[in-house]
Amino acid sequence: DVKVTQSSRYLVKRTGEKVFLECVQDMDHENMFWYRQDPGLGLRLIYFSYDVKMKEKGDIPEGYSVSREKKERFSLILESASTNQTSMYLCASSLTLAGGGSPLHFGNGTRLTVT
Amino acid sequence: QQQVKQSPQSLIVQKGGISIINCAYENTAFDYFPWYQQFPGKGPALLIAIRPDVSEKKEGRFTISFNKSAKQFSLHIMDSQPGDSATYFCAASTVNDDKIIFGKGTRLHILP
């Protein structure tokens, strides 16, 4: 079974702090994704990566950056956290092209609160 | 044109009833339509998916109905059970795309 592990379940940070959210997958998947989930807004794609050191912007990349130095690890970085970044963050991975039928495997999420 | 519109936002169904969630899309290039199920405290997981070469796909109590001309697809849950209470997301993509477009989700509650 594919396992996608997010390092923190809950995180509380102060406005202006630099925040790192870590995600690790154990199935040698090519693609990794970061989504945020907000009530009424569904799942919105922040960034994704289709290979080591490669990244692509999603629908809402502003205020975020990512890092993928190893195939199994994908980090989301909030350079200067703001209160409007309080949200549930979900990491996912897929073996190949998600549109080609390769399922997304999600972690259980990190609930980030910025005060 | 990239949107997937999902309705209703929330749904309450009696145990044993049929739950129906609808989605509509604009982009005629979409050719892969998955549904994801999310339980509280968990990430979403693939439930069932369909391609437009068929009009219906059934897996147990879950059925996707697909209407290509109307650009609509729906999830039917037959004999709904309290354990089906979850948030459901429809999604769409093209075969060569790395990512999929999600609807905004439907919170389903099955009354015991």
Side-chain angles (χ1 to χ4, degrees), chain B residues 29-49:
Chain B
F30 286 151
D31 56 8
Y32 174 64
F33 302 90
W35 285 86
Y36 280 77
Q37 179 188 53
Q38 183 183 29
F39 292 110
K42 301 291 186 182
L46 179 66
L47 178 64
I48 187 173

Side-chain angles (χ1 to χ4, degrees), chain A residues 9 31 33 35 37 40-43 45 48 50 90 94 97-104 106-108, chain B residues 9 31-32 36 38 41-46 51 89 93-100 102-105:
Chain A
R9 188 77 180 96
N31 295 356
F33 306 80
Y35 288 88
Q37 181 174 13
L41 297 179
L43 299 167
L45 182 64
F48 70 99
Y50 54 88
L90 290 163
S94 67
L97 297 172
S102 184
L104 292 178
F106 284 87
N108 287 332
Chain B
Q9 192 170 356
D31 56 8
Y32 174 64
Y36 280 77
Q38 183 183 29
K42 301 291 186 182
L46 179 66
R51 294 203 182 272
F89 294 95
S93 183
T94 59
V95 67
N96 292 320
D97 211 339
D98 284 309
K99 53 184 170 49
I100 60 176
F102 284 96
K104 293 188 176 181

Side-chain angles (χ1 to χ4, degrees), chain A residues 2 5 21 34 78-79:
Chain A
V2 177
T5 303
L21 303 183
W34 276 106
L78 287 67
E79 295 290 341

Side-chain angles (χ1 to χ4, degrees), chain A residues 52-107:
Chain A
V52 175
K53 297 191 185 295
M54 305 303 290
K55 61 184 179 184
E56 292 281 344
K57 291 180 180 179
D59 301 316
I60 52 164
E62 297 79 19
Y64 303 94
S65 62
V66 291
S67 172
R68 195 170 181 197
E69 296 295 320
K70 293 185 178 181
K71 192 174 186 179
E72 67 271 19
R73 186 178 297 270
F74 193 35
S75 302
L76 180 69
I77 303 157
L78 287 67
E79 295 290 341
S80 177
S82 63
T83 54
N84 63 13
Q85 293 178 311
T86 291
S87 186
M88 172 68 82
Y89 289 88
L90 290 163
C91 176
S93 70
S94 67
L95 180 61
T96 57
L97 297 172
S102 184
L104 292 178
H105 296 267
F106 284 87

Side-chain angles (χ1 to χ4, degrees), chain B:
Chain B
Q1 216 186 11
Q2 285 293 92
Q3 279 187 327
V4 177
K5 295 183 179 178
Q6 184 172 348
S7 62
Q9 192 170 356
S10 63
L11 182 61
I12 299 174
V13 176
Q14 290 281 353
K15 179 182 174 182
I18 302 173
S19 303
I20 302 173
I21 304 170
N22 300 300
C23 286
Y25 63 97
E26 294 286 332
N27 187 349
T28 55
F30 286 151
D31 56 8
Y32 174 64
F33 302 90
W35 285 86
Y36 280 77
Q37 179 188 53
Q38 183 183 29
F39 292 110
K42 301 291 186 182
L46 179 66
L47 178 64
I48 187 173
I50 197 169
R51 294 203 182 272
D53 52 343
V54 296
S55 60
E56 185 175 282
K57 184 173 182 180
K58 186 175 182 179
E59 290 185 4
R61 294 184 294 108
F62 299 89
T63 300
I64 301 178
S65 297
F66 184 80
N67 186 330
K68 190 173 181 178
S69 60
K71 292 185 285 185
Q72 294 175 346
F73 59 110
S74 59
L75 177 70
H76 295 237
I77 307 174
M78 311 300 288
D79 187 26
S80 299
Q81 299 297 313
D84 298 329
S85 297
T87 299
Y88 292 81
F89 294 95
C90 63
S93 183
T94 59
V95 67
N96 292 320
D97 211 339
D98 284 309
K99 53 184 170 49
I100 60 176
I101 310 297
F102 284 96
K104 293 188 176 181
T106 296
R107 291 188 70 176
L108 174 64
H109 182 64
I110 308 300
L111 296 173

